[in-house]
Amino acid sequence: MCSMTDLIKRLKNGDELSKSELISLINCDDAAGEELRALAEKIRIENYGHDIYTRGLIEFTNYCRQDCRYCGIRKSNLNCRRYRLTPEEIMRCCEEGYKLGFRTFVLQGGEDAYFNDDRICRLIEEIKGKYPDCALTLSIGEKPRESYQRYFDCGADRYLLRHETANKEHYARLHQQNQSLENRMRCLWDLKEIGYQVGCGFMVGSPYQTDECIADDLLFIKRLDPQMIGIGPFIHHSETEFKDFPDGALEMTLRLLSILRIMLPKVLLPATTALATIDPRGREKGILAGANVVMPNLSPTGVREAYQLYDNKVCTGEESAQCRDCLSIRMKSIGCRLVISRGDSKNTGN
Ligand code: 5AD
Ligand code: FES
């Protein structure tokens, strides 16, 4: 216990812990776990008060050229009903979102060749032209550096690209041969250099993940020093080869949220939909463990069922306004409030 307290102190001081120290921290007992949580909550409050930022997520296409083994919209899932939103539909999502108080829009989609750079740029210009006071985040996968540069020049502010795992062997087990950890990392460093606010992240409890993989993730994240980190439990999808693997654990996800908050005090850390899917109060628990962002869905309800990265995803039947109100009540129940703001990161480290 005493040595755990010591490790936590060193984590807080910004010392680089060794891999084995990180592994013992990840596996700490409940008392040390509570110590981590309470410290993470304190640091969240010091940096962001009781404000919780929201982002309106627009899942604009579920076509994907990739075939990640864990993902429900992987190319080889022939039972997935594919859809693309039209630019008009996307603009309607933004309009509704703006009225509801969202000041960040996240355009998320599979790697869909239809949305080539010209089309993406046109969308960015249209959204930023109409909503200059909003931040625009892209989450559309791996692209050449030139494409990232074009989107940035058109006005995109942020980019989410989870690294998925920082361990090369693990990466290979989760993906196909045409996908490499090197390219994933190349993308993240390019995005950072170009000037985006960058988000990386990983799934907790993904198939073949070991404690060592998680330690690698933590060390990589510390080095990248991103503005945002998305983590959530792995959840099986019945149309993937990982359908029989167990889902990631709530406790481990919460513990990692706390560790990340302590390691990067100013980072933007969402309590994800996946967390809400494995526990009815998952998002609240995530906030209490150090998270400070929620990302409800603004996609039209007619397509939400089709954007199933994993089984039993919550909120697929709710209208955007319902989710906003529901989240607002949930945040109030733990003494926090949803704020109307772009919610930029206070980590200006790049
Ligand atoms: N369970 C949990 N998260 C998943 N993602 C993809 N598939 C799953 C799954 N089965 C996550 C990946 C991806 C993000 C958009 O969703 O980490 O980067
Ligand atoms: Fe969607 Fe609660 S957040 S219904």
Side-chain angles (χ1 to χ4, degrees), residues 56-60 85 90 93-94 105-108 297-299:
L57 188 63
I58 303 168
E59 297 156 337
F60 70 103
L85 298 186
I90 296 171
C93 293
C94 295
F105 301 120
V106 183
L107 283 183
Q108 185 173 88
N297 209 317
L298 286 182
S299 313

Side-chain angles (χ1 to χ4, degrees), residues 62-63 72-73 77-84 301-308:
N62 71 351
Y63 283 87
I73 64 166
N77 180 5
L78 302 180
N79 291 323
C80 176
R81 179 172 63 87
R82 305 285 167 175
Y83 72 90
R84 288 183 184 108
T301 45
V303 302
R304 288 195 194 181
E305 284 284 353
Y307 202 89
Q308 292 263 15

Side-chain angles (χ1 to χ4, degrees), residues 283 315 318 322-323 326-327 330:
R283 271 173 302 218
C315 293
E318 273 69 22
Q322 280 176 291
C323 281
C326 164
L327 279 172
R330 285 173 185 272

Side-chain angles (χ1 to χ4, degrees), residues 99-290:
K99 281 193 211 140
L100 292 172
F102 292 97
R103 295 295 178 268
T104 291
F105 301 120
V106 183
L107 283 183
Q108 185 173 88
E111 293 192 14
D112 180 358
Y114 173 84
F115 283 102
N116 56 23
D117 290 354
D118 286 346
R119 289 194 168 105
I120 294 289
C121 285
R122 228 172 295 143
L123 274 175
I124 297 169
E125 282 166 351
E126 207 174 335
I127 295 173
K128 290 293 288 194
K130 188 141 186 230
Y131 304 102
D133 55 331
C134 293
L136 184 58
T137 306
L138 298 177
S139 178
I140 53 176
E142 297 181 18
K143 307 276 176 183
R145 183 178 176 125
E146 303 73 58
S147 302
Y148 289 148
Q149 185 69 56
R150 280 191 64 188
Y151 310 153
F152 187 76
D153 294 341
C154 288
D157 302 279
R158 309 181 185 142
Y159 205 102
L160 303 177
L161 183 71
R162 290 190 178 180
H163 64 284
E164 311 298 357
T165 172
N167 180 288
K168 207 169 160 206
E169 289 74 42
H170 188 214
Y171 197 91
R173 299 187 89 164
L174 296 180
H175 299 99
Q176 306 293 338
Q177 271 168 6
N178 68 317
Q179 299 169 282
S180 74
L181 181 57
E182 284 84 346
N183 195 51
R184 200 75 170 181
M185 302 264 165
R186 189 272 304 159
C187 290
L188 283 164
W189 291 109
D190 277 351
L191 289 162
K192 207 176 169 195
E193 269 175 34
I194 290 170
Y196 283 94
Q197 296 174 38
V198 173
C200 65
F202 62 95
M203 293 175 287
V204 178
S206 60
Y208 310 111
Q209 184 182 56
T210 61
D211 290 349
E212 195 153 309
C213 296
I214 297 177
D216 285 338
D217 288 323
L218 296 176
L219 290 170
F220 166 68
I221 290 173
K222 177 132 174 118
R223 206 153 51 81
L224 182 69
D225 191 24
Q227 282 79 18
M228 308 168 281
I229 307 168
I231 66 164
F234 161 77
I235 302 175
H236 69 278
H237 187 290
S238 49
E239 299 286 340
T240 65
E241 64 201 87
F242 289 159
K243 65 180 187 305
D244 296 321
F245 277 84
D247 295 342
L250 174 74
E251 286 309 323
M252 183 55 88
T253 310
L254 296 176
R255 184 162 297 175
L256 287 166
L257 283 171
S258 297
I259 291 174
L260 289 167
R261 169 63 64 209
I262 299 167
M263 276 175 67
L264 286 90
K266 294 182 192 304
V267 84
L268 294 165
L269 206 50
T272 55
T273 304
L275 196 54
T277 299
I278 60 161
D279 185 290
R281 283 179 59 83
R283 271 173 302 218
E284 294 89 318
K285 290 175 185 174
I287 301 292
L288 294 171

